[in-house]
Amino acid sequence: MSFNSNIEDFLKDFSSNCKNVQKKSFRKNQTITTYIQKRNQICILLSGEADLVRYDFNGNKSIIEHFTKNDIFGEAFYIVTTNNELSIEAKKNCEVLFYIYDNIHQKCRNNCKFHQILSENFSNLILNKIMDLNTRVEILAKRSIREKLCGYFNILSTRHLNQTFSLPFSLTDLADYLSVDRSAMMRELKCLKDEGFINKTGNKITLLYK
């Protein structure tokens, strides 16, 4: 069984056959997990969408990552800190696989082939995770709101292999993801549109400068 080419079948069989994995369902806006307690959890999103969010002491929200089907997350990837709270919030109804990182290199009691395949391919999952985190750092490193918007739009365009794409966020969530003021972001979006850099219809963006 090929993990990369047949991930859908693998995850379906893995959730049904491995005794070390749990599958749970969550409704929109429910908290899937928090990163306060260090449990070394690894989670795989089977369906739906979710956000990794941070709330500071003042209640300000930042979106750290956005997850879609087959994405991986969990506190095993983050250092727990005392000055903020990280949690995963369901943006749509979700199904999630929960697995403990400490069990990755331990044989399943049933010696199931699915556990073996996960262990053999875990490095690929980690590599994809690092690429996602690098993307986030690249966006935040940009100084102006325009640079952040254009940088993020370029990434989405490349991922979709198309100059036209839909934003995975609401505009409020997009501002939280870019760590910018929403009103200032809306003004910059209007400027980009008026100056002929983008076309915007609802949540759909078309790049006119590529």
Side-chain angles (χ1 to χ4, degrees):
M1 181 186 299
S2 170
F3 184 82
N4 291 321
S5 62
N6 206 7
I7 189 171
E8 303 255 339
D9 290 341
F10 166 78
L11 291 174
K12 181 179 178 181
D13 290 338
F14 182 51
S15 62
S16 302
N17 291 279
C18 183
K19 300 302 181 183
N20 288 332
V21 69
Q22 286 184 306
K23 182 167 68 172
K24 298 180 182 180
S25 298
F26 298 89
R27 295 187 304 275
K28 181 180 178 180
N29 296 326
Q30 273 192 303
T31 298
I32 295 173
T33 187
T34 66
Y35 289 7
I36 299 175
Q37 184 180 1
K38 192 65 174 177
R39 292 160 294 189
N40 276 338
Q41 273 188 154
I42 295 168
C43 308
I44 302 176
L45 190 62
L46 297 180
S47 64
E49 296 182 16
D51 288 338
L52 171 62
V53 300
R54 171 186 285 130
Y55 293 95
D56 63 21
F57 282 136
N58 298 317
N60 298 314
K61 174 184 174 183
S62 296
I63 296 177
I64 308 303
E65 289 187 79
H66 180 71
F67 304 112
T68 55
K69 188 175 182 179
N70 298 333
D71 279 346
I72 185 171
F73 55 88
E75 63 263 29
F77 301 103
Y78 285 85
I79 298 174
V80 175
T81 59
T82 57
N83 62 346
N84 52 62
E85 178 178 338
L86 292 171
S87 59
I88 304 291
E89 297 179 354
K91 301 301 291 183
K92 297 181 179 179
N93 292 344
C94 296
E95 276 195 327
V96 182
L97 286 186
F98 290 83
Y99 196 80
I100 303 300
Y101 173 77
D102 298 341
N103 293 331
I104 285 289
H105 301 296
Q106 297 177 7
K107 286 187 176 181
C108 179
R109 268 186 278 179
N110 291 349
N111 201 25
C112 69
K113 62 180 179 180
F114 309 103
H115 180 268
Q116 179 184 350
I117 293 170
L118 179 63
S119 179
E120 291 173 350
N121 289 273
F122 191 70
S123 59
N124 290 332
L125 291 174
I126 294 295
L127 180 59
N128 290 335
K129 187 67 180 176
I130 291 173
M131 292 172 63
D132 289 339
L133 293 176
N134 286 342
T135 296
R136 170 72 173 161
V137 170
E138 179 184 343
I139 293 170
L140 292 182
K142 297 184 183 302
R143 294 180 179 273
S144 69
I145 295 176
R146 174 171 291 210
E147 288 176 340
K148 289 183 178 183
L149 283 169
C150 291
Y152 185 54
F153 292 164
N154 284 333
I155 289 169
L156 292 180
S157 176
T158 300
R159 286 180 180 175
H160 289 81
L161 301 177
N162 200 315
Q163 289 179 237
T164 299
F165 50 85
S166 295
L167 295 173
F169 301 112
S170 67
L171 292 177
T172 297
D173 286 347
L174 178 60
D176 289 337
Y177 180 72
L178 298 177
S179 294
V180 299
D181 178 76
R182 185 184 185 279
S183 297
M185 184 193 74
M186 294 301 294
R187 288 194 295 271
E188 194 60 60
L189 280 172
K190 184 178 186 303
C191 288
L192 286 171
K193 183 176 180 180
D194 291 345
E195 293 171 19
F197 287 100
I198 66 169
N199 186 35
K200 180 180 178 299
T201 305
N203 237 31
K204 185 170 290 186
I205 301 290
T206 300
L207 303 185
L208 304 177
Y209 57 84
K210 294 188 75 175

